[in-house]
Amino acid sequence: MTERELEGRLALVTGAGQGIGEAVTRALAERGARVVAVDRNPVAVKEVEASFAGASFAGTSQAGGSHTGTPYAGGDVVARAVDVTDATAVEALVDEVERTLGPLAILVNVAGILRPAPVVELTDTDWAETFAVNTDGVFHTSRAAARRMAGRRSGSIVTVGSNAAGVPRTSMAAYAASKAAATMFTKCLGLELARAQVRCNVVSPGSTNTAMQRQLWTEPDEAATRRVVDGDPASYRVGIPLGRIADPVDIAEAVAFLVSDRARHITMHDLYVDGGATLRV
């Protein structure tokens, strides 16, 4: 980690109440950023905020990204309970943040849901709600941030997508399609904002040890983990060449790099963090 490389920058992270979103919040704060942690679960996001109060940094979060209550120091973290599917609420949030805390330098879109089902069993509600969070939510937050960043000719937006956006998955059509849409939206936004010096990138995780991943498991954790790592021919999935499921911290480190000045000449990039699971070249 490059110490304090985000000192003085204000970041907004959605889906910050658990998993990858919480890990991203910690990674940015550890590097000196002030972070607005946003989640529609007010209890979870307030607990994340509370874990940063008044003590020295004590290490990284537990595997799975669930907070431990251990205090962390770095930048300040403030919680906001907002549903990213509500465009009006998102615009009000960004306006309030900029008026009271300062100009946004970083936006990280992490909020997402998964409603697994074969297409012939997928309900209209599950399809619509998946896109409302995973795609519309990215549009709402990115639009609100981009309007302000472009005028300042400075900023970085990262959307956490999925390797499922590039590889078909059984029972994940809605999730994969929503993530593919969010990925292409972010790249198009990056093209539009490039001359304004606002960079827009995507981080696409593979299987990661989060509550979302574990909702897919029907076996004990150890057996399910082994199946993911080894692959499952019956569902046309290869395994993970690196031999492990990602920890949320692995994804957060990629995000932290892309929002930093070390990535100042990178935009419209889709960085897969999946242990080689998609066999990309």
Side-chain angles (χ1 to χ4, degrees):
M1 181 179 75
T2 302
E3 296 291 338
R4 315 297 292 181
E5 66 179 345
L6 302 178
E7 188 80 51
R9 300 185 194 182
L10 180 63
L12 189 151
V13 180
T14 70
Q18 63 177 349
I20 292 171
E22 182 190 356
V24 169
T25 297
R26 297 195 183 284
L28 301 187
E30 288 162 13
R31 288 162 172 80
R34 294 176 298 145
V35 184
V36 182
V38 178
D39 201 284
R40 66 182 179 184
N41 182 333
V43 174
V45 77
K46 287 298 285 185
E47 288 180 355
V48 172
E49 177 191 67
S51 72
F52 281 83
S56 61
F57 173 63
T60 55
S61 60
Q62 290 181 335
S66 59
H67 55 79
T68 63
T70 304
Y72 288 72
D76 296 326
V77 174
V78 295
R80 295 290 187 272
V82 173
D83 187 340
V84 296
T85 69
D86 184 337
T88 301
V90 168
E91 182 64 31
L93 166 69
V94 174
D95 180 68
E96 181 261 330
V97 165
E98 293 234 339
R99 283 188 295 102
T100 62
L101 299 177
L104 273 178
I106 297 166
L107 167 67
V108 186
N109 295 302
V110 188
I113 63 172
L114 170 63
R115 302 283 175 82
V119 170
V120 295
E121 300 173 10
L122 190 64
T123 68
D124 291 349
T125 298
D126 284 342
W127 175 270
E129 290 182 355
T130 298
F131 271 81
V133 177
N134 298 357
T135 307
D136 296 351
V138 171
F139 167 59
H140 296 155
T141 54
S142 297
R143 179 179 60 182
R147 285 170 171 164
R148 294 157 173 88
M149 290 178 176
R152 294 190 288 265
R153 299 184 60 78
S154 177
S156 179
I157 296 172
V158 172
T159 295
V160 174
S162 171
N163 67 356
V167 177
R169 301 292 195 204
T170 58
S171 296
M172 294 181 67
Y175 181 79
S178 68
K179 289 293 188 176
T183 294
M184 186 51 71
F185 164 80
T186 302
K187 290 182 178 182
C188 290
L189 181 64
L191 182 60
E192 292 179 4
L193 296 181
R195 291 299 177 92
Q197 305 303 306
V198 178
R199 300 183 298 106
C200 302
N201 293 290
V202 179
V203 172
S204 292
S207 297
T208 305
N209 189 7
T210 63
M212 181 182 288
Q213 173 70 37
R214 291 189 292 272
Q215 82 177 72
L216 298 172
W217 293 352
T218 59
E219 307 167 281
D221 284 3
E222 184 176 351
T225 298
R226 178 51 51 193
R227 182 180 294 277
V228 171
V229 169
D230 289 345
D232 182 12
S235 61
Y236 311 103
R237 291 183 68 115
V238 299
I240 303 176
L242 283 182
R244 58 183 286 269
I245 289 180
D247 185 273
V249 172
D250 299 320
I251 316 307
E253 288 292 320
V255 172
F257 165 70
L258 285 173
V259 302
S260 76
D261 291 342
R262 290 176 290 147
R264 68 181 185 177
H265 205 57
I266 300 174
T267 194
M268 295 179 281
H269 183 66
D270 187 359
L271 176 58
Y272 273 50
V273 185
D274 66 357
T278 47
L279 307 181
R280 287 171 66 89
V281 295

